[in-house]
Protein backbone atom coordinates (compact mmCIF):
# COMPACT_ATOMS: atom_id res chain seq x y z
CA UNK A 1 0.00 0.00 0.00
CA UNK A 2 2.87 2.38 -0.70
CA UNK A 3 1.44 3.85 -3.92
CA UNK A 4 1.48 7.64 -4.00
CA UNK A 5 -2.08 8.80 -3.31
CA UNK A 6 -2.34 11.02 -6.39
CA UNK A 7 -1.48 7.97 -8.52
CA UNK A 8 -3.81 5.76 -6.49
CA UNK A 9 -6.81 8.12 -6.85
CA UNK A 10 -6.23 8.50 -10.60
CA UNK A 11 -6.25 4.72 -11.01
CA UNK A 12 -9.38 4.51 -8.82
CA UNK A 13 -11.18 7.15 -10.90
CA UNK A 14 -10.24 5.30 -14.09
CA UNK A 15 -11.75 2.12 -12.63
CA UNK A 16 -14.92 4.00 -11.66
CA UNK A 17 -15.32 5.22 -15.23
CA UNK A 18 -14.71 1.72 -16.54
CA UNK A 19 -17.21 0.17 -14.12
CA UNK A 20 -19.86 2.74 -14.97
CA UNK A 21 -18.51 3.11 -18.49
CA UNK A 22 -21.20 5.38 -19.86
CA UNK A 23 -24.05 7.45 -18.51
CA UNK A 24 -26.67 5.11 -19.87
CA UNK A 25 -25.30 2.31 -17.71
CA UNK A 26 -24.97 4.36 -14.52
CA UNK A 27 -28.48 5.72 -15.06
CA UNK A 28 -29.78 2.17 -15.48
CA UNK A 29 -27.88 0.93 -12.40
CA UNK A 30 -29.07 3.83 -10.29
CA UNK A 31 -32.77 3.29 -11.04
CA UNK A 32 -32.67 -0.35 -9.97
CA UNK A 33 -32.65 -1.79 -6.44
CA UNK A 34 -29.38 -3.13 -5.04
CA UNK A 35 -25.71 -2.81 -5.89
CA UNK A 36 -24.79 -3.92 -9.43
CA UNK A 37 -22.53 -6.95 -8.72
CA UNK A 38 -20.24 -6.69 -11.77
CA UNK A 39 -19.65 -2.96 -11.34
CA UNK A 40 -19.08 -3.33 -7.59
CA UNK A 41 -16.66 -6.20 -8.10
CA UNK A 42 -14.61 -4.08 -10.49
CA UNK A 43 -14.62 -1.03 -8.17
CA UNK A 44 -13.80 -3.09 -5.06
CA UNK A 45 -10.87 -4.75 -6.85
CA UNK A 46 -8.96 -1.49 -6.26
CA UNK A 47 -9.45 -1.87 -2.48
CA UNK A 48 -10.91 1.63 -1.92
CA UNK A 49 -11.63 0.83 1.74
CA UNK A 50 -7.91 0.31 2.36
CA UNK A 51 -7.74 4.07 2.99
CA UNK A 52 -9.49 3.47 6.34
CA UNK A 53 -7.27 0.58 7.48
CA UNK A 54 -4.05 1.18 9.52
CA UNK A 55 -0.74 0.58 7.75
CA UNK A 56 0.35 -2.09 10.23
CA UNK A 57 -2.65 -4.15 9.09
CA UNK A 58 -1.91 -3.69 5.38
CA UNK A 59 -3.99 -0.57 4.73
CA UNK A 60 -3.11 2.95 3.59
CA UNK A 61 -3.08 4.36 7.11
CA UNK A 62 -6.48 5.96 7.96
CA UNK A 63 -5.47 9.35 6.56
CA UNK A 64 -8.55 11.60 6.43
CA UNK A 65 -7.34 13.29 3.24
CA UNK A 66 -7.32 9.94 1.45
CA UNK A 67 -10.70 8.89 2.87
CA UNK A 68 -12.25 12.15 1.67
CA UNK A 69 -10.58 11.75 -1.74
CA UNK A 70 -12.17 8.32 -2.22
CA UNK A 71 -15.58 9.65 -1.13
CA UNK A 72 -15.39 12.66 -3.46
CA UNK A 73 -14.31 10.65 -6.52
CA UNK A 74 -17.06 8.10 -5.87
CA UNK A 75 -19.75 10.74 -5.35
CA UNK A 76 -18.93 12.37 -8.68
CA UNK A 77 -19.96 9.14 -10.42
CA UNK A 78 -22.56 7.83 -7.96
CA UNK A 79 -23.77 9.29 -4.67
CA UNK A 80 -25.10 5.90 -3.42
CA UNK A 81 -21.69 4.34 -4.09
CA UNK A 82 -19.99 7.13 -2.14
CA UNK A 83 -22.43 6.72 0.76
CA UNK A 84 -21.71 2.97 0.75
CA UNK A 85 -18.02 3.79 1.22
CA UNK A 86 -18.85 6.52 3.74
CA UNK A 87 -20.80 4.07 5.90
CA UNK A 88 -17.92 1.58 5.80
CA UNK A 89 -15.24 4.19 6.51
CA UNK A 90 -16.85 6.56 9.02
CA UNK A 91 -19.26 4.24 10.80
CA UNK A 92 -17.31 0.97 10.91
CA UNK A 93 -13.62 0.90 9.95
CA UNK A 94 -12.50 4.09 11.74
CA UNK A 95 -14.34 3.19 14.99
CA UNK A 96 -12.84 -0.31 14.85
CA UNK A 97 -9.35 1.10 14.21
CA UNK A 98 -9.68 3.43 17.19
CA UNK A 99 -11.72 1.52 19.76
CA UNK A 100 -11.65 -2.24 19.02
CA UNK A 101 -9.64 -4.78 20.98
CA UNK A 102 -6.29 -5.42 19.24
CA UNK A 103 -7.02 -9.16 19.31
CA UNK A 104 -9.92 -8.85 16.86
CA UNK A 105 -8.63 -6.15 14.48
CA UNK A 106 -6.36 -8.27 12.31
CA UNK A 107 -9.00 -10.70 11.06
CA UNK A 108 -11.52 -7.91 10.42
CA UNK A 109 -9.09 -5.78 8.42
CA UNK A 110 -7.81 -8.79 6.46
CA UNK A 111 -11.33 -9.69 5.42
CA UNK A 112 -11.92 -6.13 4.21
CA UNK A 113 -8.66 -6.14 2.24
CA UNK A 114 -8.79 -9.65 0.84
CA UNK A 115 -12.48 -10.55 0.65
CA UNK A 116 -14.06 -7.13 0.03
CA UNK A 117 -16.16 -7.40 3.20
CA UNK A 118 -18.38 -4.51 4.28
CA UNK A 119 -19.57 -3.13 7.60
CA UNK A 120 -22.25 -0.79 8.91
CA UNK A 121 -23.59 0.78 12.10
CA UNK A 122 -26.85 0.07 13.94
CA UNK A 123 -28.12 2.83 16.23
CA UNK A 124 -31.62 3.83 15.07
CA UNK A 125 -34.68 1.98 16.33
CA UNK A 126 -38.30 2.09 15.11
CA UNK A 127 -39.51 3.93 18.21
CA UNK A 128 -36.36 5.99 18.81
CA UNK A 129 -35.05 7.78 15.73
CA UNK A 130 -32.95 10.72 16.89
CA UNK A 131 -33.51 9.80 20.56
CA UNK A 132 -30.56 7.41 20.62
CA UNK A 133 -30.08 7.76 24.39
CA UNK A 134 -33.50 6.13 24.87
CA UNK A 135 -32.76 3.06 22.73
CA UNK A 136 -34.26 -0.17 24.01
CA UNK A 137 -31.82 -2.67 22.48
CA UNK A 138 -30.35 -4.33 25.57
CA UNK A 139 -27.57 -6.70 26.52
CA UNK A 140 -26.72 -8.97 29.41
CA UNK A 141 -23.46 -10.72 30.24
CA UNK A 142 -23.61 -14.50 29.99
CA UNK A 143 -20.38 -16.39 30.73
CA UNK A 144 -17.85 -15.22 28.12
CA UNK A 145 -20.41 -13.54 25.84
CA UNK A 146 -22.81 -10.62 25.63
CA UNK A 147 -26.42 -11.47 24.75
CA UNK A 148 -27.96 -8.64 22.68
CA UNK A 149 -31.68 -8.38 21.97
CA UNK A 150 -33.60 -5.66 20.14
CA UNK A 151 -34.79 -4.21 16.85
CA UNK A 152 -32.95 -1.72 14.64
CA UNK A 153 -34.02 -0.08 11.38
CA UNK A 154 -32.97 2.17 8.49
CA UNK A 155 -29.45 0.79 8.53
CA UNK A 156 -27.68 1.32 5.21
CA UNK A 157 -26.44 -2.02 3.78
CA UNK A 158 -29.21 -4.00 5.52
CA UNK A 159 -28.81 -7.66 4.63
CA UNK A 160 -25.58 -6.91 2.79
CA UNK A 161 -22.96 -6.02 5.42
CA UNK A 162 -20.69 -8.76 6.77
CA UNK A 163 -20.05 -6.84 10.00
CA UNK A 164 -22.15 -4.51 12.12
CA UNK A 165 -21.32 -2.13 14.91
CA UNK A 166 -24.35 -2.43 17.19
CA UNK A 167 -25.27 -0.01 19.98
CA UNK A 168 -26.97 -1.33 23.09
CA UNK A 169 -27.66 -0.52 26.76
CA UNK A 170 -26.86 -2.89 29.61
CA UNK A 171 -29.82 -4.52 31.29
CA UNK A 172 -29.43 -4.51 35.08
CA UNK A 173 -30.55 -7.29 37.42
CA UNK A 174 -33.83 -5.42 38.10
CA UNK A 175 -34.59 -5.31 34.37
CA UNK A 176 -33.90 -1.59 33.94
CA UNK A 177 -31.50 -0.36 31.28
CA UNK A 178 -28.32 1.53 32.14
CA UNK A 179 -27.85 5.13 30.99
CA UNK A 180 -24.61 4.57 29.08
CA UNK A 181 -24.34 3.10 25.57
CA UNK A 182 -21.98 0.33 24.49
CA UNK A 183 -20.84 -0.75 21.02
CA UNK A 184 -20.39 -4.34 19.88
CA UNK A 185 -18.91 -5.82 16.69
CA UNK A 186 -21.22 -8.41 15.15
CA UNK A 187 -19.81 -10.82 12.55
CA UNK A 188 -22.85 -12.16 10.70
CA UNK A 189 -20.85 -15.14 9.37
CA UNK A 190 -20.48 -16.55 12.89
CA UNK A 191 -22.83 -18.86 14.78
CA UNK A 192 -25.42 -17.05 16.93
CA UNK A 193 -24.60 -13.68 15.28
CA UNK A 194 -27.10 -13.80 12.44
CA UNK A 195 -29.02 -10.55 11.95
CA UNK A 196 -32.57 -11.35 10.81
CA UNK A 197 -33.94 -8.90 8.22
CA UNK A 198 -37.66 -8.66 8.96
CA UNK A 199 -38.43 -6.19 6.18
CA UNK A 200 -36.73 -4.36 3.33
CA UNK A 201 -37.85 -0.75 2.91
CA UNK A 202 -38.88 0.83 -0.38
CA UNK A 203 -36.51 3.78 0.08
CA UNK A 204 -37.40 6.74 -2.15
CA UNK A 205 -33.84 7.31 -3.37
CA UNK A 206 -30.39 5.71 -2.98
CA UNK A 207 -31.74 2.62 -4.75
CA UNK A 208 -28.34 0.93 -4.76
CA UNK A 209 -28.29 0.75 -0.94
CA UNK A 210 -30.65 -1.69 0.84
CA UNK A 211 -32.42 -0.41 3.99
CA UNK A 212 -34.75 -2.30 6.30
CA UNK A 213 -35.74 -3.53 9.75
CA UNK A 214 -33.37 -5.88 11.60
CA UNK A 215 -34.20 -8.23 14.47
CA UNK A 216 -31.34 -8.93 16.89
CA UNK A 217 -30.87 -11.95 19.16
CA UNK A 218 -27.09 -12.26 19.24
CA UNK A 219 -24.28 -13.85 21.24
CA UNK A 220 -21.22 -11.60 20.93
CA UNK A 221 -17.81 -12.70 22.34
CA UNK A 222 -16.44 -10.36 24.99
CA UNK A 223 -13.43 -9.33 22.91
CA UNK A 224 -15.80 -7.81 20.33
CA UNK A 225 -16.98 -4.99 22.59
CA UNK A 226 -15.47 -1.57 21.75
CA UNK A 227 -13.33 -0.04 24.49
CA UNK A 228 -14.24 3.64 25.17
CA UNK A 229 -11.64 6.11 26.45
CA UNK A 230 -14.14 7.37 29.05
CA UNK A 231 -17.87 6.68 28.55
CA UNK A 232 -19.81 5.02 25.77
CA UNK A 233 -21.82 8.19 25.13
CA UNK A 234 -18.59 10.18 24.63
CA UNK A 235 -17.38 7.44 22.27
CA UNK A 236 -20.64 7.66 20.30
CA UNK A 237 -20.26 11.45 20.00
CA UNK A 238 -16.66 11.05 18.83
CA UNK A 239 -17.74 8.50 16.19
CA UNK A 240 -20.73 10.53 14.95
CA UNK A 241 -18.85 13.85 14.91
CA UNK A 242 -16.01 12.26 12.91
CA UNK A 243 -18.53 10.80 10.48
CA UNK A 244 -20.26 14.19 10.09
CA UNK A 245 -16.90 15.81 9.37
CA UNK A 246 -16.45 13.38 6.46
CA UNK A 247 -19.71 14.43 4.77
CA UNK A 248 -17.77 17.11 2.81
CA UNK A 249 -16.04 14.34 0.84
CA UNK A 250 -19.38 13.01 -0.43
CA UNK A 251 -20.72 16.56 -0.78
CA UNK A 252 -17.75 17.82 -2.78
CA UNK A 253 -17.92 15.09 -5.43
CA UNK A 254 -21.70 15.39 -5.73
CA UNK A 255 -21.75 19.20 -5.93
CA UNK A 256 -18.89 19.18 -8.47
CA UNK A 257 -20.92 16.82 -10.67
CA UNK A 258 -23.99 19.07 -10.36
CA UNK A 259 -21.79 22.08 -11.22
CA UNK A 260 -20.19 20.44 -14.26
CA UNK A 261 -23.56 19.23 -15.55
CA UNK A 262 -25.10 22.68 -15.04
CA UNK A 263 -22.25 24.43 -16.85
CA UNK A 264 -22.44 21.95 -19.74
CA UNK A 265 -26.23 22.41 -19.99
CA UNK A 266 -26.11 26.21 -19.83
CA UNK A 267 -23.26 26.64 -22.30
CA UNK A 268 -24.91 24.43 -24.90
CA UNK A 269 -28.63 25.16 -24.44
CA UNK A 270 -29.79 27.98 -26.74
CA UNK A 271 -32.87 29.97 -25.68
CA UNK A 272 -34.19 32.95 -27.71
CA UNK A 273 -31.02 32.94 -29.78
CA UNK A 274 -28.48 32.94 -26.97
CA UNK A 275 -27.00 30.41 -24.59
CA UNK A 276 -28.52 29.97 -21.14
CA UNK A 277 -25.21 30.91 -19.52
CA UNK A 278 -25.60 34.48 -20.80
CA UNK A 279 -28.72 35.12 -18.68
CA UNK A 280 -28.17 36.97 -15.41
CA UNK A 281 -30.41 34.72 -13.28
CA UNK A 282 -28.65 31.65 -14.65
CA UNK A 283 -25.29 33.21 -13.75
CA UNK A 284 -26.58 33.68 -10.21
CA UNK A 285 -27.82 30.09 -9.95
CA UNK A 286 -24.52 28.65 -11.16
CA UNK A 287 -22.59 30.95 -8.81
CA UNK A 288 -24.54 29.39 -5.90
CA UNK A 289 -23.41 25.90 -6.94
CA UNK A 290 -19.84 27.17 -7.25
CA UNK A 291 -20.13 28.68 -3.78
CA UNK A 292 -21.26 25.26 -2.51
CA UNK A 293 -18.24 23.67 -4.22
CA UNK A 294 -15.92 26.17 -2.48
CA UNK A 295 -17.51 25.60 0.95
CA UNK A 296 -17.24 21.80 0.59
CA UNK A 297 -13.58 22.23 -0.44
CA UNK A 298 -12.93 24.34 2.67
CA UNK A 299 -14.60 21.74 4.89
CA UNK A 300 -12.53 18.95 3.31
CA UNK A 301 -9.33 20.87 4.01
CA UNK A 302 -10.35 21.48 7.61
CA UNK A 303 -11.48 17.88 8.20
CA UNK A 304 -8.18 16.56 6.83
CA UNK A 305 -6.38 18.47 9.59
CA UNK A 306 -8.87 17.93 12.40
CA UNK A 307 -10.84 14.70 12.21
CA UNK A 308 -8.19 11.94 12.33
CA UNK A 309 -8.76 9.04 14.73
CA UNK A 310 -5.88 10.31 16.88
CA UNK A 311 -8.16 13.20 17.94
CA UNK A 312 -11.25 12.94 20.13
CA UNK A 313 -14.11 14.94 18.59
CA UNK A 314 -16.72 14.34 21.31
CA UNK A 315 -16.70 18.02 22.32
CA UNK A 316 -16.65 19.42 18.75
CA UNK A 317 -20.41 19.54 18.31
CA UNK A 318 -20.63 23.08 16.92
CA UNK A 319 -18.17 22.30 14.15
CA UNK A 320 -19.42 18.80 13.33
CA UNK A 321 -23.05 19.91 13.25
CA UNK A 322 -22.19 22.94 11.11
CA UNK A 323 -20.35 20.77 8.59
CA UNK A 324 -23.08 18.14 8.31
CA UNK A 325 -26.00 20.55 8.04
CA UNK A 326 -24.46 22.94 5.55
CA UNK A 327 -22.95 20.29 3.27
CA UNK A 328 -26.25 18.40 3.06
CA UNK A 329 -28.32 21.57 2.52
CA UNK A 330 -25.92 22.58 -0.27
CA UNK A 331 -26.16 19.14 -1.90
CA UNK A 332 -29.94 19.35 -2.08
CA UNK A 333 -29.88 22.96 -3.35
CA UNK A 334 -27.35 22.06 -6.06
CA UNK A 335 -29.50 19.17 -7.29
CA UNK A 336 -32.64 21.35 -7.31
CA UNK A 337 -30.79 24.03 -9.29
CA UNK A 338 -29.50 21.57 -11.88
CA UNK A 339 -33.02 20.21 -12.43
CA UNK A 340 -34.37 23.76 -12.82
CA UNK A 341 -31.68 24.60 -15.36
CA UNK A 342 -32.20 21.32 -17.22
CA UNK A 343 -35.90 21.91 -17.87
CA UNK A 344 -38.23 18.97 -18.48
CA UNK A 345 -35.44 16.47 -19.13
CA UNK A 346 -34.14 17.01 -15.59
CA UNK A 347 -37.36 15.70 -14.07
CA UNK A 348 -36.55 12.05 -14.66
CA UNK A 349 -35.12 9.32 -12.48
CA UNK A 350 -32.67 8.58 -15.29
CA UNK A 351 -31.31 12.17 -15.17
CA UNK A 352 -28.43 12.88 -12.79
CA UNK A 353 -30.21 15.97 -11.45
CA UNK A 354 -33.63 14.42 -10.88
CA UNK A 355 -32.03 11.39 -9.27
CA UNK A 356 -29.76 13.73 -7.31
CA UNK A 357 -32.77 15.38 -5.64
CA UNK A 358 -34.06 12.12 -4.14
CA UNK A 359 -30.58 10.70 -3.48
CA UNK A 360 -29.33 13.79 -1.61
CA UNK A 361 -32.55 14.50 0.32
CA UNK A 362 -32.03 11.86 3.06
CA UNK A 363 -28.59 13.33 3.83
CA UNK A 364 -30.51 16.21 5.48
CA UNK A 365 -32.27 13.68 7.71
CA UNK A 366 -29.97 10.81 8.69
CA UNK A 367 -27.24 11.19 11.34
CA UNK A 368 -29.41 13.88 12.90
CA UNK A 369 -32.12 15.88 11.11
CA UNK A 370 -30.72 19.27 10.13
CA UNK A 371 -33.30 21.29 12.10
CA UNK A 372 -32.32 19.36 15.22
CA UNK A 373 -28.61 19.94 14.60
CA UNK A 374 -29.13 23.67 13.94
CA UNK A 375 -31.00 23.83 17.25
CA UNK A 376 -28.11 22.09 19.00
CA UNK A 377 -25.61 24.59 17.53
CA UNK A 378 -27.58 27.48 19.05
CA UNK A 379 -27.96 25.70 22.37
CA UNK A 380 -24.22 25.04 22.57
CA UNK A 381 -23.41 28.67 21.75
CA UNK A 382 -25.89 29.99 24.32
CA UNK A 383 -24.42 27.63 26.92
CA UNK A 384 -20.94 29.12 26.32
CA UNK A 385 -22.37 32.65 26.48
CA UNK A 386 -24.10 31.96 29.80
CA UNK A 387 -20.88 30.57 31.22
CA UNK A 388 -19.02 33.73 30.18
CA UNK A 389 -21.96 36.03 31.04
CA UNK A 390 -21.48 37.74 27.66
CA UNK A 391 -24.39 37.71 25.19
CA UNK A 392 -23.29 39.82 22.22
CA UNK A 393 -23.21 37.54 19.16
CA UNK A 394 -20.45 39.45 17.36
CA UNK A 395 -18.23 39.28 20.45
CA UNK A 396 -18.80 35.54 20.73
CA UNK A 397 -17.93 35.03 17.05
CA UNK A 398 -14.83 37.21 17.41
CA UNK A 399 -13.55 35.14 20.37
CA UNK A 400 -14.53 31.72 18.98
CA UNK A 401 -11.72 29.91 17.12
CA UNK A 402 -13.79 28.78 14.12
CA UNK A 403 -15.40 32.18 13.47
CA UNK A 404 -12.80 34.74 14.57
CA UNK A 405 -11.51 35.44 11.03
CA UNK A 406 -15.00 35.86 9.57
CA UNK A 407 -16.41 37.93 12.46
CA UNK A 408 -15.23 41.36 11.27
CA UNK A 409 -16.49 40.59 7.77
CA UNK A 410 -19.97 40.01 9.29
CA UNK A 411 -19.98 42.54 12.15
CA UNK A 412 -22.86 44.57 10.72
CA UNK A 413 -25.15 41.54 10.70
CA UNK A 414 -24.13 40.02 14.06
CA UNK A 415 -23.52 42.96 16.43
CA UNK A 416 -26.52 42.44 18.74
CA UNK A 417 -27.32 40.79 22.08
CA UNK A 418 -28.96 37.37 22.04
CA UNK A 419 -32.11 36.52 23.92
CA UNK A 420 -31.17 33.24 25.62
CA UNK A 421 -34.80 32.10 26.02
CA UNK A 422 -35.70 31.38 22.41
CA UNK A 423 -38.42 29.23 20.82
CA UNK A 424 -37.08 26.39 18.73
CA UNK A 425 -37.81 28.09 15.40
CA UNK A 426 -35.51 30.95 16.45
CA UNK A 427 -32.85 28.49 17.59
CA UNK A 428 -32.99 26.97 14.10
CA UNK A 429 -32.64 30.42 12.46
CA UNK A 430 -29.73 31.29 14.71
CA UNK A 431 -28.05 27.90 14.16
CA UNK A 432 -28.31 28.32 10.39
CA UNK A 433 -26.63 31.73 10.60
CA UNK A 434 -23.85 30.64 13.00
CA UNK A 435 -23.03 27.57 10.91
CA UNK A 436 -22.58 29.77 7.86
CA UNK A 437 -20.25 32.08 9.79
CA UNK A 438 -18.26 28.92 10.59
CA UNK A 439 -18.25 28.20 6.83
CA UNK A 440 -17.03 31.71 6.04
CA UNK A 441 -14.13 31.31 8.48
CA UNK A 442 -13.03 28.06 6.89
CA UNK A 443 -13.41 29.51 3.38
CA UNK A 444 -11.08 32.36 4.43
CA UNK A 445 -8.61 29.75 5.72
CA UNK A 446 -8.76 27.95 2.36
CA UNK A 447 -8.14 31.22 0.51
CA UNK A 448 -5.04 31.86 2.63
CA UNK A 449 -3.69 28.47 1.52
CA UNK A 450 -3.85 29.60 -2.13
CA UNK A 451 -7.25 28.36 -3.33
CA UNK A 452 -8.57 30.20 -6.39
CA UNK A 453 -9.33 33.80 -5.31
CA UNK A 454 -12.37 34.51 -7.50
CA UNK A 455 -14.14 31.42 -6.13
CA UNK A 456 -13.28 32.48 -2.56
CA UNK A 457 -14.51 36.05 -3.08
CA UNK A 458 -17.77 34.97 -4.73
CA UNK A 459 -18.37 32.41 -1.98
CA UNK A 460 -17.85 34.95 0.82
CA UNK A 461 -20.22 37.41 -0.86
CA UNK A 462 -22.81 34.64 -1.21
CA UNK A 463 -22.42 33.62 2.43
CA UNK A 464 -22.76 37.22 3.57
CA UNK A 465 -26.05 37.47 1.69
CA UNK A 466 -27.30 34.17 3.17
CA UNK A 467 -26.31 35.17 6.72
CA UNK A 468 -28.08 38.55 6.35
CA UNK A 469 -31.29 36.76 5.31
CA UNK A 470 -31.04 34.30 8.21
CA UNK A 471 -30.39 37.02 10.78
CA UNK A 472 -33.39 38.94 9.39
CA UNK A 473 -35.50 35.81 9.87
CA UNK A 474 -34.16 35.47 13.42
CA UNK A 475 -35.21 39.06 14.25
CA UNK A 476 -38.64 38.67 12.64
CA UNK A 477 -40.98 38.09 15.58
CA UNK A 478 -44.06 36.99 13.64
CA UNK A 479 -45.66 34.22 15.69
CA UNK A 480 -47.31 31.71 13.36
CA UNK A 481 -48.71 28.49 14.81
CA UNK A 482 -50.42 25.49 13.27
CA UNK A 483 -54.23 25.22 13.54
CA UNK A 484 -55.00 21.55 14.33
CA UNK A 485 -58.83 21.70 14.02
CA UNK A 486 -58.91 23.72 10.83
CA UNK A 487 -61.87 22.03 9.12
CA UNK A 488 -64.76 24.29 10.26
CA UNK A 489 -65.20 27.38 8.11
CA UNK A 490 -62.32 26.59 5.81
CA UNK A 491 -64.05 25.36 2.65
CA UNK A 492 -63.93 28.02 -0.06
CA UNK A 493 -66.97 26.42 -1.69
CA UNK A 494 -69.19 27.77 1.12
CA UNK A 495 -68.16 31.33 0.34
CA UNK A 496 -68.27 31.28 -3.43
Amino acid sequence: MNTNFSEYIKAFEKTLKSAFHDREDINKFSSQRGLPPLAMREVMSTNPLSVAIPENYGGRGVKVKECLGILASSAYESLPLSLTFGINIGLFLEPVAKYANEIVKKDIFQRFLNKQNMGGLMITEPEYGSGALNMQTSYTEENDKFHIKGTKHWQGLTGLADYWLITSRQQNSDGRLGRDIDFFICDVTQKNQKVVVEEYYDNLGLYMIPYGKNKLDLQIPKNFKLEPETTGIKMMLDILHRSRMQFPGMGLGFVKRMMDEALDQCKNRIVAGKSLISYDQVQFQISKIQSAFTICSAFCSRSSEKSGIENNLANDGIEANSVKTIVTDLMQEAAQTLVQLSGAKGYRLSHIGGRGIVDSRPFQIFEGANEMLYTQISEMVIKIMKRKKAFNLFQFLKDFDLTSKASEYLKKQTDFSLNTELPQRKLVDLGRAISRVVSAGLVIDLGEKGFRKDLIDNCLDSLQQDISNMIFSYHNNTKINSIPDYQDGSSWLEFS
Side-chain angles (χ1 to χ4, degrees):
M1 290 296 172
N2 295 321
T3 312
N4 177 282
F5 184 66
S6 62
E7 295 174 14
Y8 179 79
I9 199 73
K10 280 179 188 173
F12 176 64
E13 289 171 352
K14 186 176 179 182
T15 302
L16 282 174
K17 284 188 169 41
S18 170
F20 305 122
H21 58 270
D22 59 41
R23 289 182 185 176
E24 185 179 343
D25 272 359
I26 183 61
N27 289 332
K28 184 176 72 174
F29 288 155
S30 299
S31 59
Q32 296 172 352
R33 297 282 173 184
L35 295 159
L38 288 174
M40 278 305 295
R41 193 174 303 133
E42 188 173 350
V43 171
M44 294 302 289
S45 70
T46 64
N47 262 336
L49 298 180
S50 64
V51 294
I53 294 174
E55 284 185 271
N56 54 320
Y57 291 100
R60 294 190 59 88
V62 204
K63 300 180 183 78
V64 176
K65 177 180 176 180
E66 297 195 0
C67 294
L68 296 179
I70 288 291
L71 296 179
S73 294
S74 305
Y76 189 87
E77 299 296 337
S78 165
L79 187 57
L81 178 65
S82 185
L83 179 57
T84 297
F85 292 150
I87 291 167
N88 275 278
I89 291 169
L91 299 179
F92 186 80
L93 287 169
E94 288 179 334
V96 166
K98 181 166 185 176
Y99 291 110
N101 190 308
E102 291 295 333
I103 296 171
V104 307
K105 287 183 183 180
K106 183 178 180 181
D107 184 57
I108 293 172
F109 292 143
Q110 286 304 306
R111 279 172 54 182
F112 271 79
L113 289 170
N114 300 322
K115 298 183 180 179
Q116 285 72 53
N117 275 195
M118 289 196 178
L121 172 65
M122 291 189 177
I123 296 181
T124 311
E125 299 182 2
E127 300 302 319
Y128 301 94
S130 297
L133 299 183
N134 297 308
M135 70 178 66
Q136 295 302 295
T137 301
S138 63
Y139 75 90
T140 53
E141 290 192 43
E142 297 176 5
N143 301 320
D144 61 340
K145 292 193 167 118
F146 296 104
H147 185 196
I148 299 174
K149 297 190 76 172
T151 302
K152 302 285 190 182
H153 80 156
W154 279 113
Q155 281 71 50
L157 307 179
T158 288
L160 186 66
D162 307 277
Y163 286 103
W164 290 101
L165 269 188
I166 297 173
T167 55
S168 179
R169 296 162 67 195
Q170 186 168 21
Q171 185 174 41
N172 300 320
S173 55
D174 59 4
R176 291 188 296 178
L177 300 184
R179 294 181 63 186
D180 204 13
I181 290 171
D182 289 298
F183 285 70
F184 302 87
I185 302 169
C186 170
D187 177 356
V188 300
T189 67
Q190 299 301 307
K191 184 181 177 183
N192 298 323
Q193 295 187 48
K194 179 71 174 172
V195 173
V196 177
V197 181
E198 290 193 323
E199 178 187 358
Y200 282 102
Y201 293 154
D202 56 342
N203 36 298
L204 179 63
L206 300 171
Y207 279 7
M208 288 167 63
I209 304 177
Y211 290 88
K213 183 163 76 170
N214 299 292
K215 191 78 173 175
L216 308 178
D217 188 354
L218 313 168
Q219 301 281 342
I220 306 292
K222 286 202 170 178
N223 286 336
F224 285 75
K225 179 174 178 286
L226 295 193
E227 302 167 346
E229 294 172 345
T230 51
T231 67
I233 291 174
K234 287 278 191 184
M235 176 169 64
M236 181 170 72
L237 286 173
D238 177 50
I239 291 169
L240 291 179
H241 289 170
R242 182 170 293 101
S243 174
R244 287 170 189 165
M245 289 185 71
Q246 294 194 11
F247 273 56
M250 294 179 281
L252 179 65
F254 180 77
V255 168
K256 188 176 189 299
R257 179 63 179 273
M258 298 298 106
M259 181 172 65
D260 289 348
E261 295 281 346
L263 284 167
D264 184 60
Q265 161 73 3
C266 294
K267 287 174 182 175
N268 295 306
R269 175 69 166 168
I270 305 300
V271 176
K274 54 183 182 177
S275 64
L276 267 181
I277 195 79
S278 63
Y279 286 88
D280 179 62
Q281 174 61 13
V282 172
Q283 285 279 325
F284 175 70
Q285 288 173 291
I286 288 178
S287 76
K288 295 295 284 186
I289 304 180
Q290 291 180 329
S291 176
F293 169 77
T294 306
I295 292 168
C296 288
S297 298
F299 281 153
C300 283
S301 180
R302 169 69 176 183
S303 291
S304 296
E305 299 165 358
K306 177 75 184 284
S307 67
I309 60 172
E310 67 276 6
N311 298 323
N312 192 303
L313 307 180
N315 295 322
D316 290 292
I318 293 175
E319 181 170 1
N321 286 8
S322 295
V323 169
K324 189 270 182 185
T325 49
I326 289 178
V327 166
T328 56
D329 281 353
L330 293 175
M331 290 167 70
Q332 176 67 190
E333 289 166 16
Q336 293 280 359
T337 300
L338 175 60
V339 167
Q340 189 72 17
L341 293 171
S342 300
K345 71 178 182 181
Y347 194 65
R348 294 185 301 183
L349 188 60
S350 59
H351 187 273
I352 186 72
R355 192 168 65 248
I357 288 176
V358 289
D359 281 351
S360 64
R361 184 65 179 93
F363 281 70
Q364 296 172 294
I365 301 168
F366 59 55
E367 276 203 45
N370 283 7
E371 287 78 6
M372 181 184 79
L373 299 185
Y374 282 130
T375 302
Q376 290 176 357
I377 291 168
S378 295
E379 289 172 342
M380 286 183 273
V381 166
I382 289 171
K383 186 177 179 181
I384 295 170
M385 287 180 159
K386 285 181 175 179
R387 195 165 63 237
K388 293 183 174 180
K389 294 185 171 59
F391 301 102
N392 182 276
L393 180 58
F394 166 71
Q395 199 57 52
F396 168 81
L397 297 172
K398 187 178 179 182
D399 295 338
F400 188 56
D401 174 54
L402 284 170
T403 55
S404 58
K405 285 183 182 176
S407 60
E408 288 292 342
Y409 191 76
L410 299 158
K411 183 175 182 179
K412 181 181 175 183
Q413 292 90 341
T414 60
D415 194 6
F416 62 90
S417 290
L418 281 184
N419 173 6
T420 58
E421 301 299 325
L422 293 169
Q424 189 190 12
R425 67 184 71 182
K426 295 301 175 188
L427 291 172
V428 172
D429 287 339
L430 181 63
R432 287 186 201 276
I434 291 171
S435 62
R436 278 150 183 83
V437 182
V438 170
S439 301
L442 296 178
V443 167
I444 291 170
D445 284 342
L446 185 64
E448 290 174 351
K449 293 174 182 175
F451 197 82
R452 184 170 172 148
K453 188 175 186 301
D454 51 2
L455 286 175
I456 295 289
D457 291 343
N458 281 357
C459 181
L460 290 173
D461 287 345
S462 179
L463 280 168
Q464 188 176 38
Q465 185 180 53
D466 290 343
I467 292 164
S468 294
N469 292 337
M470 289 163 190
I471 293 294
F472 176 81
S473 179
Y474 166 81
H475 286 306
N476 186 343
N477 289 319
T478 304
K479 185 75 171 172
I480 305 171
N481 289 318
S482 63
I483 302 166
D485 302 314
Y486 72 91
Q487 289 91 344
D488 291 341
S490 63
S491 172
W492 69 272
L493 292 167
E494 296 174 15
F495 309 107
S496 305

